[in-house]
């Protein structure tokens, strides 16, 4: 079975059109940890050049994503793994697309519509 694992899923920021070279990074926020785009320009940081990308994901949503991927992978008799490459879905207002699924690793493009519209 797939273990719920922090390194099973690589999140890719989906706010840069066809450019999939921005892996989401775990950050310490004011209240809790969350994932944010490396292009996010914190008001506390030194780098205020360029546009800030506000795409982000809470750990609660990340857990939901892991659960969903696990369920879809082992749907059916639970013996056969389903390859999820190319699967698109929306959970809690966040759009996801599985770019690559190999063994128990996933590369997932994500776009939090609420976060980026702010
Ligand atoms: Zn981004």
């Amino acid at each position: 079975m797939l273990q719920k694992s922090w390194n099973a899923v690589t999140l890719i920021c989906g706010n840069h059109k066809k450019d999939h070279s921005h892996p989401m990074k775990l950050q310490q926020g004011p209240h809790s940890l969350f994932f944010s785009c490396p292009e996010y320009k914190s008001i506390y940081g030194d780098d205020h050049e360029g546009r800030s990308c506000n795409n982000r994901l809470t750990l609660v949503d990340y857990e939901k994503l892991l659960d969903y991927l696990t369920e879809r992978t082992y749907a059916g008799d639970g013996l056969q793994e389903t390859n999820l490459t190319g699967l698109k879905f929306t959970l809690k207002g966040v759009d996801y697309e599985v770019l690559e699924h190999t063994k128990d690793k996933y590369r997932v493009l994500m776009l939090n519509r609420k976060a980026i519209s702010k």
Side-chain angles (χ1 to χ4, degrees):
M1 272 302 272
L2 178 75
Q3 296 293 315
K4 255 212 222 175
S5 159
W6 290 95
N7 26 11
V9 176
T10 305
L11 287 173
I12 307 291
C13 181
N15 198 20
H16 306 275
K17 306 211 165 67
K18 296 272 172 229
D19 182 0
H20 296 163
S21 64
H22 300 83
M24 302 291 282
K25 288 193 305 191
L26 202 55
Q27 306 268 5
Q28 178 65 56
H31 305 293
S32 56
L33 289 166
F34 67 103
F35 287 93
S36 80
C37 179
E39 295 301 308
Y40 175 70
K41 307 283 194 278
S42 167
I43 55 168
Y44 306 109
D46 305 322
D47 181 13
H48 295 276
E49 297 291 311
R51 253 188 92 234
S52 176
C53 174
N54 295 330
N55 198 21
R56 59 183 154 73
L57 195 72
T58 65
L59 291 194
V60 175
D61 284 339
Y62 183 72
E63 291 257 319
K64 287 199 175 73
L65 170 67
L66 291 187
D67 285 346
Y68 184 87
L69 291 173
T70 306
E71 264 169 42
R72 291 296 300 256
T73 300
Y74 295 98
D77 56 14
L79 298 172
Q80 206 91 34
E81 290 182 29
T82 306
N83 192 287
L84 302 184
T85 303
L87 184 71
K88 292 182 187 180
F89 52 96
T90 302
L91 297 173
K92 295 259 174 188
V94 183
D95 292 343
Y96 298 97
E97 180 181 348
V98 181
L99 295 174
E100 199 180 1
H101 175 197
T102 45
K103 297 258 305 187
D104 49 4
K105 297 264 187 204
Y106 305 84
R107 239 161 64 88
V108 180
L109 196 68
M110 59 98 15
L111 187 64
N112 186 337
R113 299 203 168 275
K114 260 186 290 175
I116 61 159
S117 65
K118 279 186 191 149

